[in-house]
Structure formats: structure tokens, C-alpha cells
Amino acid sequence: MSDDIVHVLTAHLAVEVRTIDDRGSTFDSTAVEGALRLIAHGRRQCGGPFGPALTSLAAGYASLAGQLRMLRGQLGAAMAFYDRGLRWASLCDDTRLKITILCDLNALARLEYDGASAVGHAQVMLGVGRGLSWAECLAHLHLARGFALLGDTEETTRSVARCQAALAQSNRGAAERPDWLAGTRGAVLVEAGIGGALRDAAVVTADRGLAREALIATERSASLAPKQPHPAAVLLGLRLADCHACAGRPEVAESVASSLLAEALAASRATVGHELRGLLTRLAPRWPHVSLPGALSASHWHALLPNETPVRPTPWT
């Protein structure tokens, strides 16, 4: 494998990572997985100066392939890519890649309603990023998301406070942060995660006070997100509606979500589908005829759920 090919593959990965949030419902991972196979083959064949570079590239492509599979709802395939990516990232001792993949593993666990695994991934993240304020910020954020699914309000709120403190410390040492945690993009990610954690805890515990706190954080995040039709904006709009529903204001929730409903129903992102499904469950009496393509209607979901077991909402990824 030549130096030129390595540079081309590196540039291609950077472009793919930058554009993933703008793809709408297009998640064709064929090119990414094809490049990964080429890199993995080259890594087996090549030693010398290309070995470390190819290992790092393999980790990056595996992380992206896993994310694309996860967004399509193919969680088993996503896990396989994440496992390989984490192994390669460990071989080249790339802390940023390890943290990125652990964030995605945490999100995948939450899509499967597995709070214990989400907490486990976040604890590993805390160990990997020890001493790096930006990494500790993300670790505490993902701990909050996991504890929220487990209904542990005390640990959720404690982790949120630690996340905010670590973010403030990270802002004072901005040079060490990855680009995707800097500036407005980082603020949207952190505030959305905090809102998601507090909303998740509110769903599990039926605590309207937590729902109101979740609403404040989600409003802050939504105010910073792109205003044009955008997957993040749709997801945050649905979450904003769900915070109102969890706070006991279903009429406001219905009003907020109405303008997003058509786009959300058409979206193929697993994260948007999960978010919408939770909202539909809570608004089932008001929207009895709305259903997700290929899924049970909201009223059927509502009927199948035990009264004491609320639907756990979806994560931000």
C-alpha cells in the first residue's frame, strides 16, 4: 500500500465523518465498509511505516461503519464493528478514538434499553480518559444516561453536575479537545445529552420536576442546533415535546411535535424512531391513528405495556 493511498483513505474518512449529520436518511455504508476491508487487508500485508497508520485508519473506519449500521437499526452488526474498532484503537493507543467508540457503545446499549451496560461502557470511558477534562465530561454525561435508564436519580443528577464541571474545565483548556466537542457543536451535544438523561430519569420515575429540568436543558440545546431541516433538530424537537408530555402538558407536547411529525415518520434513523416511539406512547390517547412504518401503532404499544413500566426513551447519539 502506497503513501498516496493512505492519504486518500484518511481524507475520505474525514469527509465521511463531517457529513454524517447532514445525510438525512441516507446511510449507505458500502463505501465505508469496502475501504475498511482494503485497510484491514493492507494492514495484514504491510509492516514498517504504514502499520500504525493503517491500524488507526482501521479503527476510524470501523467506528464510522458501526455508527452507520446503528443508525439503520442494525445493532448486532454495529456491535461487531465497534468491537473491532475498539481493539484497533487500543493497539494504536488512540484515546480520542477509544472515547468515540465507547460513546457509541453507550448509545447502542441505550437503544437496547440496557442501562447496566451503558453505565459499564461509561465507566470504562472514565478510566480511559482519566486526567483529560473533555473525556471526563463525556464519561460523566454517558454515566448520567445509563443511570437514568436504571432509575437512579441520585447518580443521574450527580453525573450531570460532574459533566458540567468537567466541561467548564475543558473550556479553559480548549486546545486538548476534539473538534466535535468544541464550540456550538459541543454545547449542543452536551446540553442534549443532559436533557436526555433527565428526561429518561423522569420517564422511569414519573418525576415531573425532573421533566421540567430536562425541558430547560433541551431548550438550550435546541436553541443552538441548526434551524434548517436536520436530523439533530428533528430529534431535539421530538425530545422537547416529550419533555412537555413527561411534565404533564400533553397539549403543549402535541403542539410542539405536530410540525415535526411527517418528517419524523419518514426518517429511517433508529434514534429518531426510538424518540418518536416514546413520544407516541405518551400521546397515544391524542394520536390514536399515528403509527410508525413497520412498527406497532402508538395505541398498540400503549396497550402492551404494563401500567407500572414506562417506555424508556431513546438516546442522543
Side-chain angles (χ1 to χ4, degrees), residues 93-113:
D93 198 25
D94 189 324
T95 298
R96 291 191 183 192
L97 262 177
K98 284 188 281 188
I99 294 293
T100 298
I101 295 170
L102 286 164
C103 286
D104 285 337
L105 283 168
N106 181 283
L108 190 150
R110 298 195 317 267
L111 279 170
E112 295 185 319
Y113 315 128

Side-chain angles (χ1 to χ4, degrees), residues 1 6 42-55:
M1 184 171 288
V6 172
R43 184 177 170 274
R44 288 193 296 269
Q45 301 298 318
C46 296
F50 294 117
L54 290 176
T55 300

